[in-house]
Amino acid sequence: MIELKQLTKKYGTKKKSTTALSEIDLQVGKGEIFGVIGHSGAGKSTLIRCINLLERPTSGEVWVNGVNLTALGKGDLQKHRRKIGMIFQHFNLLSSATVYDNIAFPLTLTNTPKADIKKKVSDLLALVGLEDHKNKYPAQLSGGQKQRVGIARALASDPDVLLCDEATSALDPQTTDSILRLLLDINKKFNLTIMLITHEMHVIQSVCDRVAVIHAGGIVEEGPVTEVFLKP
Ligand code: ADP
Ligand code: ADP
C-alpha cells in the first residue's frame, strides 16, 4: 500500500545541507497499522510529510496504492493526494468553521453534491461520536473532540491511507487512549492502512502491528511490535 524506495530528503542548499532522511526503504501493507518511533530530530515528521509530498523528497520514490507519486505532475498529484488522509498534533481545523463544515470541507473542494455531503458528514459524525456537536466551533471543543473532527475530515474523501503526525501528543493519557481506540475501530471497519509517527512507546504498543525505529534519518530497527519491543 505504501512503499518507500531509497527515500532521501536534504534541507538547505547544496553547500550547506542537513540530511533529514537517508535512503529509507519501507513497505506498509494494506490494512496494516505501522508506527515510526524516534527521538526529536530523528526525521519522523519529514518521513510522514514525504509520503503525501507535503515535502518533496530530494531523491528516491514514494509509491501509494500502486502509484509512484514522485513521478506525477501537479494535477495528477492533487488527485491522488485526496486518497491520503492526514491528522495532526494540533488538529489544523478551520477555526471559523463549524464541526460540520470542517468535515465537509474536503468534499466541497471536489464539487460533491450537497445531499451526498450531508449523508457523508452525518455518517462520519456518527462514526466519531460527535452528532451532538456538529454546529459547534473548534474553540468550543475539547482536544479529544477536535481530533475526532480531524479524523472525520481525513476520512471524508474515503482515503486509501491515513497518516497520523503525532496525533495524540497534545492529548492527556485518557483521551489518547480513546483516540487510539477510534483509530483501531476505523482500521478494522474499513481495512484502512494507517501509518503513524510518535515519540511515545505506549502509542506504538497499543495499536501498531509493525514498527520502525528511526534515528538520525535512518531506520535502525524494523519488525512486528512484539519482536522489536517486548510487551510490558
Ligand atoms: P522529528 O519529526 O523526528 O523531530 P524532523 O523530521 O522534524 O524530525 O527533523 C529531522 C531533521 O531535519 C532535523 O535535523 C531537523 O532539524 C531538520 N529539519 C526539519 N525540517 C527542516 C526544515 N524545514 N529546514 C531545515 N531543516 C529541517
Ligand atoms: P453506512 O452509511 O451504509 O452505514 P458504513 O457504516 O460502512 O456505511 O460507513 C460509514 C461511513 O464511512 C460512510 O459514509 C462510508 O461512505 C464511509 N466509508 C466507507 N468506507 C470508508 C473508508 N475506507 N474510509 C473512510 N470512510 C469510509
Side-chain angles (χ1 to χ4, degrees), residues 93-146:
L93 303 178
L94 301 167
S95 57
S96 59
T98 61
V99 166
Y100 183 100
D101 287 336
N102 266 282
I103 298 171
F105 183 67
L107 299 170
T108 61
L109 295 179
T110 51
N111 298 319
T112 309
K114 225 173 171 174
D116 294 354
I117 294 182
K118 207 172 158 188
K119 165 85 173 82
K120 185 78 188 177
V121 174
S122 78
D123 287 348
L124 288 167
L125 283 165
L127 181 74
V128 301
L130 288 180
E131 297 106 315
D132 296 341
H133 303 279
K134 64 179 177 182
N135 295 320
K136 288 189 178 165
Y137 290 88
Q140 298 171 283
L141 303 176
S142 69
Q145 289 171 331
K146 284 181 202 163

Side-chain angles (χ1 to χ4, degrees), residues 41-60:
K44 302 182 296 296
S45 51
T46 302
L47 180 67
I48 206 152
R49 291 164 61 85
C50 277
I51 293 172
N52 54 10
L53 270 69
L54 277 178
E55 288 293 353
R56 172 68 59 184
T58 307
S59 60

Side-chain angles (χ1 to χ4, degrees), residues 185-202:
D185 285 350
I186 290 165
N187 163 258
K188 295 223 162 59
K189 189 166 187 207
F190 304 125
N191 196 28
L192 182 67
T193 308
I194 298 181
M195 180 158 172
L196 63 85
I197 62 165
T198 182
H199 62 279
E200 297 174 306
M201 180 85 88
H202 162 73

Side-chain angles (χ1 to χ4, degrees), residues 12-30:
T13 58
K14 247 195 185 124
K15 254 186 164 169
K16 192 170 180 295
S17 73
T18 311
T19 303
L21 295 176
S22 181
E23 300 178 350
I24 301 276
D25 288 310
L26 203 62
Q27 288 184 14
V28 180
K30 170 85 184 145

Side-chain angles (χ1 to χ4, degrees), residues 166-219:
E166 296 277 5
T168 56
S169 299
L171 305 175
D172 63 60
Q174 225 176 335
T175 310
T176 292
D177 285 343
S178 80
I179 293 296
L180 293 176
R181 270 199 305 277
L182 177 60
L183 290 176
L184 269 177
D185 285 350
I186 290 165
N187 163 258
K188 295 223 162 59
K189 189 166 187 207
F190 304 125
N191 196 28
L192 182 67
T193 308
I194 298 181
M195 180 158 172
L196 63 85
I197 62 165
T198 182
H199 62 279
E200 297 174 306
M201 180 85 88
H202 162 73
V203 169
I204 301 283
Q205 289 183 321
S206 35
V207 293
C208 294
D209 303 308
R210 283 195 305 136
V211 61
V213 181
I214 185 169
H215 179 74
I219 289 173

